[in-house]
Amino acid sequence: MTPPPFRETGTGWFVTSSGWLITNGHVVSPAHRPPEWLARQQTQKAVTQACGNEAGTGRARLEPSISVLLANGVRLPARVVKYSPPVAGEAMSGQDLALLKLDAADMPALSLADSAQPRIGDRVHIIGFPGVVLSHELLNASAKMDASVTSGAISGFKQDRANQPVIQTDAPAAWGNSGGPAVNDAGQVVGVLTFVTVSSDGGGEIVQGFNFVIPAATVAKFLTGTPVPPNEPSRFNGAWYAALRDYFTGNYRRARVELAEANRLLPDLPDVRRVTIDNDERLKREPLLPWTPVAVGMLVVSAAGWAVLLVRRRMRNRFRIPPAEVLRLVEGPDPPTLLDVRAAETYARSPVRIPRSLHVPLEALGNGVPAVPVDPARTVIAYCT
């Protein structure tokens, strides 16, 4: 007989893009180290299925497996590389971690935050897949692929019974969130959700506002000695972050290219699809030409042209003096030398003659006049048309 399978679900997150994933130890323990009660439970299910209400005996042969369901619906097998069980006798604890390996690449990875940074009152956001959403009768199947985000603040720094540090937060969480990352406003992982508080009156109700997170420092220590490559780059992260940056700054055309690259690396992620649809809608409402940049560019070009003209005019006129200044110098105690450098034909046709001036054609000056009767120590004023 094959009884209905026992399933344990939780949340995990990629610590690197090459398929290394962190979750809680208790999430994978039924498959990694099946307990005796699980074998007895499955045996009883098989007996009940075969014999109904009649008595019967048997023995279950367990076939455990671990798989990771990505947000795009792809299911990948995973194996446990490192396992830290909860404290003996406790359902969950501050050393409740497991490191899984998937045969994958270019996964969306989250980096660990500096454990010295969190303080009481800091905002924290828990990402996960609570069971109440996965099994809600009013939601369609696509809801299982969308992560839920609950927000709160760090409300305390505690220790479990094994003296392992845990962070207390009032961010709501539920069954299924176990192993999910708790991130700060910068998107860095400050810890991993490990357990929620249950009422002690026997009702088993979850007490919200008293949930606990394994600190990032404990996770980093857990990864020490493992093959997890530190600071591994992620091509998906590069394309996704660039797309979000351009999307939020209004550069929708460039964001479209980067969103397409992110979708190529990891197709059909809900968040990528959602942003792509909204980006395309905004792109349709965008004018054919970016008139604001065009107008700014035209103003810049016009200002540059006027600046060039002003500079050229200034350079051309930097040695010019007005006629009144010429008269003042001529009537002064040290009159300047006046040169009339008009062309020979122009000088011959013009009735204008400057008193006490010397006529030396400009072309003659350019060719080098053998001797110009000018005192080098005196100011020279040249006149031309």
Side-chain angles (χ1 to χ4, degrees), residues 219-242:
V219 180
K221 184 178 179 180
F222 177 75
L223 294 175
T224 302
T226 65
V228 176
N231 302 319
E232 182 183 45
S234 170
R235 292 193 299 169
F236 175 86
N237 279 18
W240 176 237
Y241 291 162

Side-chain angles (χ1 to χ4, degrees), residues 43 92 94 104 119 125-126 129 151 175 187 191 214 264 289 294 330 366:
T43 300
M92 288 148 272
R119 296 175 297 180
H125 314 276
I126 295 177
F129 297 85
S151 300
W175 168 80
I214 301 173
R264 184 189 68 82
L289 290 176
V294 169
V330 169

Side-chain angles (χ1 to χ4, degrees), residues 11 13 47 63 86 91 100 112 156 183 191 197 217 230 236 238 246 248 268 287 289 311 315 347 358 373 376:
T11 303
W13 53 279
V47 169
E63 297 179 352
L100 309 184
L112 292 172
V183 302
T197 304
F236 175 86
D246 289 330
F248 286 119
D268 298 327
L289 290 176
V311 170
M315 294 296 295
Y347 184 80
L358 298 176

Side-chain angles (χ1 to χ4, degrees), residues 53-358:
N53 294 329
E54 298 180 8
T57 60
R59 185 176 64 178
R61 180 172 60 86
L62 301 180
E63 297 179 352
S65 64
I66 300 174
S67 60
V68 174
L69 185 63
L70 303 181
N72 58 0
V74 176
R75 186 183 297 272
L76 298 175
R79 65 182 188 276
V80 178
V81 177
K82 188 173 182 179
Y83 174 78
S84 176
V87 177
E90 296 292 328
M92 288 148 272
S93 75
Q95 59 180 17
D96 181 22
L97 293 171
L99 175 64
L100 309 184
K101 182 65 174 75
L102 289 70
D103 293 328
D106 297 322
M107 293 292 105
L110 294 175
S111 60
L112 292 172
D114 185 359
S115 59
Q117 291 180 353
R119 296 175 297 180
I120 292 180
D122 286 354
R123 295 283 296 172
V124 66
H125 314 276
I126 295 177
I127 306 174
F129 297 85
V132 65
V133 174
L134 299 181
S135 59
H136 203 288
E137 66 274 7
L138 298 181
L139 299 176
N140 60 23
S142 65
K144 299 180 180 181
M145 301 295 102
D146 277 328
S148 299
V149 181
T150 56
S151 300
I154 294 176
S155 53
F157 297 94
K158 312 292 184 181
Q159 290 183 330
D160 65 5
R161 290 188 178 182
N163 295 323
Q164 297 290 331
V166 291
I167 300 174
Q168 180 181 330
T169 176
D170 60 359
W175 168 80
N177 281 117
S178 296
V183 302
N184 55 21
D185 288 338
Q188 298 174 321
V189 178
V190 298
V192 181
L193 184 72
T194 180
F195 62 93
V196 297
T197 304
V198 180
S199 61
S200 58
D201 58 1
E205 297 294 332
I206 295 176
V207 180
Q208 293 296 348
F210 296 94
N211 302 318
F212 294 90
V213 172
I214 301 173
T218 303
V219 180
K221 184 178 179 180
F222 177 75
L223 294 175
T224 302
T226 65
V228 176
N231 302 319
E232 182 183 45
S234 170
R235 292 193 299 169
F236 175 86
N237 279 18
W240 176 237
Y241 291 162
L244 290 179
R245 188 164 48 248
D246 289 330
Y247 169 78
F248 286 119
T249 56
N251 195 340
Y252 305 121
R253 296 185 185 278
R254 192 161 60 184
R256 180 172 59 181
V257 177
E258 291 152 348
L259 286 168
E261 174 63 11
N263 188 67
R264 184 189 68 82
L265 293 170
L266 198 57
D268 298 327
L269 286 181
D271 289 331
V272 177
R273 182 170 61 248
R274 187 180 300 113
V275 175
T276 300
I277 292 174
D278 190 68
N279 186 79
D280 291 342
E281 289 297 324
R282 292 171 182 264
L283 200 56
K284 291 178 182 178
R285 298 193 296 267
E286 198 174 62
L288 183 61
L289 290 176
W291 293 112
T292 300
V294 169
V296 172
M298 293 180 64
L299 289 175
V300 170
V301 171
S302 177
W306 279 106
V308 170
L309 291 177
L310 291 175
V311 170
R312 292 181 62 184
R313 180 181 179 87
R314 180 180 178 85
M315 294 296 295
R316 186 172 61 248
N317 297 333
R318 66 186 184 278
F319 296 124
R320 289 190 176 183
I321 59 176
E325 181 67 15
V326 175
L327 291 176
R328 188 186 65 81
L329 292 174
V330 169
E331 295 175 354
D334 189 15
T337 300
L338 300 178
L339 294 182
D340 191 335
V341 296
R342 289 180 291 177
E345 295 181 0
T346 304
Y347 184 80
R349 292 197 305 268
S350 175
V352 177
R353 295 291 185 271
I354 302 175
R356 296 195 296 270
S357 66
L358 298 176

